[in-house]
Amino acid sequence: MKLSINSSPFKRAPLTTADMMGWVALACLPGLFIQCYLFSFGPLIQVGLTIFTAMLAEALVMILRRRPVFQALGDQSAMLTGLLLGLSLPAYAPWWVAVLGAAFAIIMVKQLYGGLGHNLFNPAMAAYVFLLISFPLSMTSWTPPVVIIDQIIDFPDSVALIFTGFSVDGFSLHQMSVGIDGITQATPLDTLRSGLAQGLTSSEVVENNSLFQLGHLGWQWINVAYLAGGLMLIQRGIIYWHIPLAFLCTLLVLSIVGYSIAPDQVATPMIHLFNGATMFGAFFILTDPVSASTTPRGRIIYAILIGILVYLIRSLGGYPDAVAFAVLLANMCVPLIDQYSQPKVYGYKKGKGND
Amino acid sequence: MLNLIEKIKRGVMWNYRGGIHPESYKESISTSRPIEIRDAAELVVHLQQHIGESAKLLVAPGDTVLGGQPLTHSDLYSAPPVHAPTSGKVIAIEPRPAAHPSGLLEPAVVIEPDGEHNMQTFTPVDFESASRHQLVEAIHSAGISGMGGAGFPTAIKLAPNQPIEILIINGAECEPYISADDCLMQHYAGEIMAGVYVLQQLLQPKLTLIAIEDDKPDAIAAMTEAATEDVLVRSIPTKYPSGGEKQLIEVLTGKQVPAGGIPAHIGMMVQNVGTAYAVSRAVLYGEPLTRRLVTLAGDGFAEPRNAWVDIGTPVAHLINQEEASPQTETSLIMGGPMMGFTLHHVNTPITKTSNCILYGDNDEFTTQSQELPCIRCGQCATACPVALLPQQLYWYTRGGQLDKAQQYNLPDCIECGACAYVCPSDIPLVQYFRQGKAQIREERELQIASERSRQRFENRQHRLEREKLERAERHKQATERRAQELKQGDAQDQIAKALERVKAKGDTAPTPPGDQDAIAARIARKAKAKAAKGEKSSNPAVAAAIARAKAKRAQQADSESSETQGPVEAQSADSAQQRKDAVAAAIARAKAKKAQQAEPANSAASDDSSSKGESDTEANDPRKAAVAAAIARAKAKKAERAKQTPDKIEQSPPESSKSSASEETANHDENQAADSSSEAQRKAAVAAAIARAKAKRAKQKTEESEEPQKANKGDAAAEDPRKAAVAAAIARAKAKKLAKEQDNQDNPTNSKDLES
């Protein structure tokens, strides 16, 4: 009789890393669906591009590092990174932006730090910031939701826009973005920022802008979809509730405080919570296990820190893309947070014994 | 504490952080009345089945033993004995594979049962009248150690230094598959309760709790029925690892055992239900621990169930090996799936702590799976019941950063396996932690060892320094004392004392003990060289005697130095002096002997004795003393002879014969003497010449027969072989010449006398 020799435990919980990644990706689908509904096929093509590039880059690096390629691809982490980046990109950003971003995320941010589990920064957000700084025009060319633009964008148009910059009929992306009111649109937060910069009050911006009147609803739907997906993840035990809750509460509290102090200079709490990448960030970006804090207290500190940063950047910063910057800044603080938020070990008195 | 007990009695329960809820698989394992599995072909009883040390062996191969007969004995509670499970013959005492993750061989008594199950007669202890000591002694001699898995000797545990307020009987049994305690509680509740009474008797706790996880309703019912009013049966939520001692305490009392401490430090004690049962058997029946309840589970068993198994039964006897294909790997696990270990040999025996045997294929019991990178998901930290951060510890242990791992409390890991269970990357975290802990232990031991040797070295340095100072002080005192004595002493003693002082001064130079060896060696070398020269000068007797004396002295010096290097005892100045005196005396004796040999035994007995006396007191430094002694002796003899000539004449014949025997070698001697050209020789020659001159004068005055004696005396006087040889040769030559001239009658008779 041949006996196998091994170390305990001999039973394992069924959840694997690939399962976790798969569940997160699955939870993104409602959001992706809403994005496609709002922006036509653009987001789907972007996601396809980023996932393909990310997995290709991962495979390439694994070959170069002489590591098992299929094991690395099998853990689904590259797929998820690609997916998250694709979801963050403007729907009709040029194809090379998506490809560059995905390759940057995998090669520079993840693999150069040592691969899965070793990266300091969230790959999708680092790539997003890289693209934003390198190609600001492409990265800010958000088209308004299809419901409020003149043109109808079908699949061939989407492909053509992304790969050539012009629709099948020869319209440029800029022309496609002109709203029914004839004004070029970006994202609501961007619009609000521009409006405030022009000296308008936030209520004026919101009331007089078709984007806010109609499109705002679209952005809210996206956030609601991500909220739903995130709640599903918490329910399945894939992510912990600490980070999203702490982050959303911080943002809510800060926006209420800000709004009650200067209602005309800042966005409403509703805009903060259900616009931009708030929900997407809360449930899918901040909860990235690798780059987030891992101690129970640390997670909360980390989330609060991001909440504060997001609010500050949105209200005072030069970029409207607050979540990406806030997450990267907080990533840098994680080792420090982890160091000082170790839980009290069994049998030790509080404040003693941990160092 | 009273407050707490009130709270507990009111039904308040606590919880501990972390923990997991693995599938228990217990429904499929029968907890009906356990069967008995006996009659293994051989029983392998390991001498050590517990934490602690093994006891002294009582049997030898070939002995026949009865069931329950002790195989080992020890008065130490840390070494509970083991017993023969049944009657049979001891066929071997040899190393056998132990029930340990390593599968290493450990000494075991191998018994071939005779199948008759003859048991020893057991004497019960009346626990109501027995003293505490008697009870603990009974538990110790029954060989009971913790039955829950760790195997800590129960007798030690039952003699705590602190009073026990809360006694907890652990029936939680939280590991999947294992149902031995469940089965025991269902069918032996009465006996368990009896054991609990004994424990209560011993510990006098204010509160006794029996904790059972709520997935064992039958056991809870049985125990509740058997329990008396002063024992609370507590149903606790099913969660792994609630059966852990520290976790159970936290669940039941909300208290945490201080890090590095034991439950007794907070007035609590946890005993397993199996231990309580064994205690009741030991006390009520006087029966030693020779069998235990074992859960036999896994797909490899057609009928998973619980069974009484004799301790020492090889696992092979419990499983059906026929169905197992020899090609596919099979998992054979002792203990539960969370904390058990895979067996290396099917013949590994059941021990006192083996509560479960799992037997199944590799699909049922996950073994080697692909370890993926850690994604720092933190599931492990959430599961950890001790609130460690396994994801951090993993980095540190893997990277060999043991100091960091220690800072993150790695030694507090209880190795429950909850972290590895939940890890989505299938990282064998517990294995890393075990290795890390072992390394930390090893490093700690090394550190202690190096610290000890450092202290040893420093102590030695201090001791040497102190001894040096003491020695200096001693010598100072001795010098002062001598100065005092010199002042007080009479004139006659002064010469002797002066000589002593000279010698003492020579010794005053501080010689560390280490140098004494070198000195001794040097002396020995010198003695050898002298002996060699002495041989050349054909006066080997003298040379040999001196060499012997020197060797003796060297030996003494050696023993002296070894004494000083021994345990540090302040040597009194007196004893040092005594030793030196002894050395001096020995040397003097050696000299005297040599002198005796050189001189005819019967001649000048008084001379000899006087010279001996002189050398006893004076001749400490061999050379100086020898010269002085020789001079003194020569003078004394001369004076004596001047008076006692007639006596000497009578005694002379043998002497003269000897001296004539040396005639033949005289020329040769002279040549040798001429060859050597050291200053010492010259001085000696001068001395000898003086002696000769004096002797001549005396001879001329007296009869011829006196002369050889003088030559001999010159011999004796020149202690230094070189000097002696030269002087003797010259003296002999002269004496012979004289003798030839005056007396030619004598013939050489015994030349050996001088040469030997």
Side-chain angles (χ1 to χ4, degrees):
Chain A
M1 191 159 81
K2 243 168 119 183
L3 295 179
S4 55
I5 303 304
N6 209 339
S7 161
S8 63
F10 305 106
K11 286 284 179 187
R12 289 290 172 85
L15 191 71
T16 65
T17 302
D19 291 342
M20 286 177 71
M21 301 286 177
W23 275 109
V24 175
L26 206 66
C28 285
L29 292 185
L32 179 64
F33 179 77
I34 300 290
Q35 271 178 291
C36 285
Y37 176 76
L38 288 175
F39 303 113
S40 185
F41 296 97
L44 198 64
I45 295 164
Q46 298 290 3
V47 163
L49 272 173
T50 48
I51 290 179
F52 176 77
T53 314
M55 294 185 76
L56 194 69
E58 178 103 340
L60 262 170
V61 176
M62 289 322 257
I63 288 167
L64 285 174
R65 290 177 67 194
R66 295 189 177 78
R67 298 282 171 90
V69 175
F70 290 100
Q71 187 192 314
L73 293 179
D75 66 29
Q76 316 257 44
S77 61
M79 181 275 291
L80 186 61
T81 299
L83 174 64
L84 295 178
L85 178 64
L87 291 173
S88 324
L89 294 176
Y92 295 99
W95 64 272
W96 47 266
V97 166
V99 169
L100 261 179
F104 181 85
I106 294 297
I107 297 171
M108 305 300 282
V109 188
K110 183 178 163 191
Q111 290 294 350
L112 282 193
Y113 279 88
L116 180 63
H118 294 76
N119 46 302
L120 182 61
F121 297 105
N122 183 315
M125 287 302 104
Y128 182 86
V129 168
F130 156 73
L131 294 174
L132 185 66
I133 294 168
S134 309
F135 316 107
L137 187 65
S138 305
M139 285 300 285
T140 49
S141 305
W142 285 90
T143 52
V146 281
V147 285
I148 56 164
I149 57 174
D150 255 359
Q151 310 291 324
I152 295 157
I153 305 176
D154 52 11
F155 186 71
D157 277 333
S158 305
V159 176
L161 271 172
I162 288 169
F163 284 92
T164 65
F166 296 95
S167 69
V168 179
D169 298 329
F171 290 110
S172 73
L173 187 62
H174 184 72
Q175 288 167 313
M176 298 294 283
S177 304
V178 175
I180 40 176
D181 51 2
I183 299 164
T184 308
Q185 305 286 353
T187 62
L189 283 171
D190 211 13
T191 312
L192 181 68
R193 168 182 306 281
S194 318
L196 290 174
Q198 287 159 15
L200 301 169
T201 65
S202 59
S203 50
E204 280 171 342
V205 178
V206 171
E207 275 161 25
N208 300 326
N209 195 291
S210 62
L211 188 69
F212 273 97
Q213 294 304 306
L214 295 163
H216 180 46
L217 208 60
W219 283 97
Q220 285 180 341
W221 288 349
I222 295 175
N223 274 281
V224 169
Y226 284 123
L227 173 65
L231 290 176
M232 192 265 285
L233 287 182
I234 290 176
Q235 189 263 324
R236 307 272 334 174
I238 309 292
I239 60 170
Y240 294 106
W241 53 265
H242 310 74
I243 288 179
L245 189 73
F247 169 67
L248 294 176
C249 285
T250 308
L251 203 55
L252 182 68
V253 168
L254 285 177
S255 57
I256 289 173
V257 170
Y259 194 67
S260 52
I261 292 169
D264 280 346
Q265 265 78 57
V266 294
T268 61
M270 257 325 259
I271 292 174
H272 271 296
L273 284 187
F274 286 96
N275 239 303
T278 304
M279 289 299 168
F280 179 64
F283 291 96
F284 296 88
I285 299 298
L286 272 68
T287 53
D288 167 36
V290 177
S291 55
S293 175
T294 55
T295 64
R297 265 193 305 150
R299 287 196 191 107
I300 291 174
I301 297 168
Y302 170 78
I304 291 173
L305 180 65
I306 294 178
I308 294 168
L309 285 170
V310 165
Y311 186 79
L312 288 178
I313 293 170
R314 277 184 181 173
S315 309
L316 310 167
Y319 284 94
D321 316 83
V323 172
F325 288 105
V327 165
L328 291 189
L329 287 172
N331 283 166
M332 286 188 239
C333 303
V334 163
L336 196 71
I337 296 172
D338 278 357
Q339 172 71 33
Y340 291 103
S341 62
Q342 292 175 44
K344 185 188 80 73
V345 174
Y346 181 99
Y348 287 91
K349 295 269 186 299
K350 239 192 162 70
K352 275 193 221 164
N354 280 346
D355 23 28
Chain B
M1 192 52 107
L2 279 173
N3 234 342
L4 178 67
I5 289 170
E6 278 310 307
K7 246 184 179 175
I8 293 167
K9 279 184 178 163
R10 276 208 312 273
V12 179
M13 261 208 278
W14 288 261
N15 197 0
Y16 60 95
R17 74 177 295 291
I20 51 173
H21 296 92
E23 157 116 62
S24 82
Y25 302 96
K26 290 186 186 184
E27 308 76 39
S28 60
I29 300 157
S30 164
T31 52
S32 61
R33 198 156 190 90
I35 53 162
E36 278 188 26
I37 298 179
R38 304 199 84 167
D39 300 317
E42 61 173 29
L43 297 171
V44 181
V45 183
H46 278 102
L47 298 187
Q48 176 153 12
Q49 307 190 5
H50 52 267
I51 296 172
E53 55 234 67
S54 52
K56 211 176 74 200
L57 200 61
L58 291 178
V59 292
D63 288 3
T64 43
V65 289
L66 289 173
Q69 183 180 328
L71 302 175
T72 59
H73 171 79
S74 174
D75 291 330
L76 292 174
Y77 286 167
S78 58
V82 293
H83 300 78
T86 184
S87 58
K89 195 173 139 195
V90 176
I91 54 171
I93 294 169
E94 60 188 15
R96 289 292 185 101
H100 185 267
S102 67
L104 289 174
L105 304 181
E106 276 180 20
V109 177
V110 185
I111 297 169
E112 189 181 46
D114 54 16
E116 288 171 19
H117 303 308
N118 292 323
M119 301 302 272
Q120 226 179 17
T121 44
F122 303 122
T123 44
V125 181
D126 179 12
F127 74 90
E128 264 157 2
S129 63
S131 69
R132 269 180 63 98
H133 178 74
Q134 278 175 308
L135 285 177
V136 176
E137 194 59 40
I139 288 165
H140 166 67
S141 48
I144 299 173
S145 54
M147 305 285 282
F152 189 79
T154 305
I156 299 184
K157 214 170 163 182
L158 289 177
N161 293 323
Q162 290 89 351
I164 300 301
E165 311 260 342
I166 302 177
L167 172 65
I168 297 167
I169 305 299
N170 185 354
E173 200 166 53
C174 55
E175 270 215 59
Y177 288 97
I178 309 179
S179 53
D181 288 350
D182 186 7
C183 184
L184 192 73
M185 287 187 285
Q186 285 183 36
H187 303 288
Y188 302 90
E191 271 156 312
I192 294 170
M193 284 313 300
V196 174
Y197 296 147
V198 175
L199 295 175
Q200 281 180 317
Q201 183 89 1
L202 269 169
L203 301 165
Q204 301 293 333
K206 293 197 173 77
L207 179 67
T208 306
L209 294 167
I210 298 177
I212 306 166
E213 277 191 345
D214 56 13
D215 65 344
K216 300 182 240 318
D218 294 343
I220 294 171
M223 290 307 289
T224 313
E225 207 186 307
T228 45
E229 285 163 6
D230 61 334
V231 177
L232 275 179
V233 178
R234 246 318 122 77
S235 158
I236 61 169
T238 302
K239 176 162 116 174
Y240 179 84
S242 294
E245 187 175 69
K246 293 175 170 182
Q247 281 65 42
L248 191 60
I249 286 175
E250 196 170 0
V251 168
L252 293 172
T253 69
K255 297 268 181 225
Q256 290 192 345
V257 180
I262 56 167
H265 291 160
I266 51 168
M268 296 181 199
M269 182 179 292
V270 180
Q271 294 283 2
N272 186 264
V273 286
T275 313
Y277 175 80
V279 165
S280 83
R281 298 299 298 188
V283 174
L284 267 54
Y285 302 89
E287 192 183 285
L289 177 58
T290 59
R291 61 175 197 170
R292 70 157 297 142
L293 211 48
V294 182
T295 303
L296 306 171
D299 288 346
F301 290 102
E303 200 185 341
R305 63 179 310 151
N306 286 279
W308 284 109
V309 181
D310 282 339
I311 285 160
T313 305
V315 172
H317 185 67
L318 305 175
I319 60 175
N320 181 10
Q321 285 186 70
E322 284 155 27
E323 284 173 25
S325 99
Q327 265 72 47
T328 52
E329 281 207 337
T330 313
S331 287
L332 192 56
I333 298 160
M334 186 174 276
M338 300 301 294
M339 292 184 75
F341 52 90
T342 47
L343 293 177
H344 291 247
H345 312 273
V346 283
N347 283 322
T348 309
I350 294 290
T351 66
K352 292 172 186 174
T353 52
S354 322
N355 49 7
C356 183
I357 295 295
L358 297 175
Y359 177 43
D361 54 23
N362 283 358
D363 294 332
E364 189 179 10
F365 300 108
T366 322
T367 48
Q368 225 69 58
S369 50
Q370 194 64 52
E371 178 182 340
L372 294 173
C374 169
I375 55 166
R376 293 163 56 81
C377 64
Q379 304 243 16
C380 47
T382 311
C384 183
V386 194
L388 297 172
L389 295 173
Q391 76 275 17
Q392 300 293 103
L393 293 172
Y394 162 67
W395 291 121
Y396 299 140
T397 51
R398 221 186 142 190
Q401 290 176 274
L402 291 179
D403 49 337
K404 265 296 208 183
Q406 253 173 301
Q407 204 183 320
Y408 276 77
N409 303 87
L410 178 61
D412 289 292
C413 171
I414 58 168
E415 299 173 23
C416 67
C419 51
Y421 174 82
V422 297
C423 181
S425 295
D426 281 344
I427 301 169
L429 291 163
V430 189
Q431 200 179 332
Y432 282 110
F433 299 160
R434 282 198 197 110
Q435 281 169 5
K437 283 166 83 173
Q439 278 170 359
I440 288 173
R441 265 198 303 276
E442 211 170 285
E443 231 165 60
R444 225 176 248 171
E445 274 159 25
L446 266 178
Q447 226 168 28
I448 289 167
S450 74
E451 178 62 21
R452 267 200 211 117
S453 61
R454 191 184 64 80
Q455 273 179 358
R456 242 191 341 261
F457 175 75
E458 279 179 357
N459 286 348
R460 181 173 182 273
Q461 292 295 106
H462 285 144
R463 198 191 67 225
L464 292 181
E465 189 64 27
R466 199 182 59 233
E467 279 176 4
K468 201 170 153 186
L469 289 174
E470 277 174 6
R471 228 177 5 252
E473 183 60 25
R474 263 202 318 271
H475 289 313
K476 213 174 121 194
Q477 280 174 0
T479 320
E480 277 167 9
R481 203 180 58 233
R482 267 182 228 115
Q484 284 283 317
E485 279 171 9
L486 200 62
K487 274 179 200 162
Q488 288 162 4
D490 56 349
Q492 247 193 346
D493 283 350
Q494 277 184 6
I495 301 161
K497 292 246 167 83
L499 279 165
E500 257 182 26
R501 225 175 21 252
V502 166
K503 193 207 80 192
K505 236 179 226 167
D507 280 354
T508 318
T511 47
D515 286 356
Q516 286 189 356
D517 286 341
I519 291 171
R522 206 166 65 222
I523 289 166
R525 257 200 319 278
K526 262 188 195 165
K528 231 190 216 170
K530 279 172 191 169
K533 272 186 186 157
E535 262 180 290
K536 270 188 197 168
S537 63
S538 95
N539 203 346
V542 175
I546 289 167
R548 267 200 307 280
K550 303 263 165 165
K552 223 184 229 172
R553 204 177 77 124
Q555 226 174 357
Q556 271 171 337
D558 248 357
S559 66
E560 196 178 11
S561 69
S562 68
E563 267 171 35
T564 53
Q565 279 176 350
V568 210
E569 275 170 38
Q571 297 168 337
S572 73
D574 283 351
S575 71
Q577 197 57 43
Q578 273 173 2
R579 226 172 295 151
K580 275 174 208 156
D581 286 351
V583 174
I587 292 163
R589 268 201 305 280
K591 305 248 163 98
K593 227 184 231 170
K594 187 192 61 189
Q596 244 174 339
Q597 278 182 335
E599 272 180 69
N602 50 357
S603 79
S606 57
D607 279 7
D608 265 340
S609 67
S610 71
S611 72
K612 248 187 231 172
E614 273 171 11
S615 58
D616 265 343
T617 52
E618 297 175 1
N620 287 328
D621 190 331
R623 253 171 286 170
K624 283 175 197 162
V627 173
I631 294 166
R633 263 202 312 278
K635 281 177 183 168
K637 269 189 189 162
K638 193 179 67 186
E640 232 174 282
R641 264 176 217 136
K643 291 172 198 162
Q644 297 178 353
T645 330
D647 292 346
K648 296 250 163 106
I649 299 165
E650 279 165 33
Q651 291 161 356
S652 59
E655 277 177 30
S656 56
S657 75
K658 269 177 212 163
S659 63
S660 30
S662 65
E663 258 183 350
E664 284 164 11
T665 56
N667 283 334
H668 179 60
D669 282 354
E670 268 178 352
N671 289 341
Q672 290 274 330
D675 282 348
S676 52
S677 57
S678 78
E679 267 196 81
Q681 274 178 330
R682 250 173 277 156
K683 275 181 204 159
V686 173
I690 294 165
R692 260 190 332 265
K694 284 176 182 169
K696 250 184 207 168
R697 245 177 279 151
K699 220 191 292 174
Q700 279 165 356
K701 279 179 198 164
T702 57
E703 310 238 352
E704 311 103 331
S705 55
E706 207 185 315
E707 281 158 54
Q709 257 201 343
K710 280 198 179 154
N712 279 330
K713 253 177 247 155
D715 235 348
E719 303 279 358
D720 194 318
R722 265 172 284 171
K723 287 179 202 165
V726 175
I730 295 167
R732 265 201 310 278
K734 305 266 163 161
K736 266 175 206 163
K737 253 182 247 167
L738 275 171
K740 267 186 193 169
E741 281 167 27
Q742 294 170 0
D743 183 16
N744 277 324
Q745 310 153 342
D746 287 337
N747 289 319
T749 48
N750 194 0
S751 63
K752 258 202 165 183
D753 272 8
L754 266 178
E755 277 165 7
S756 64

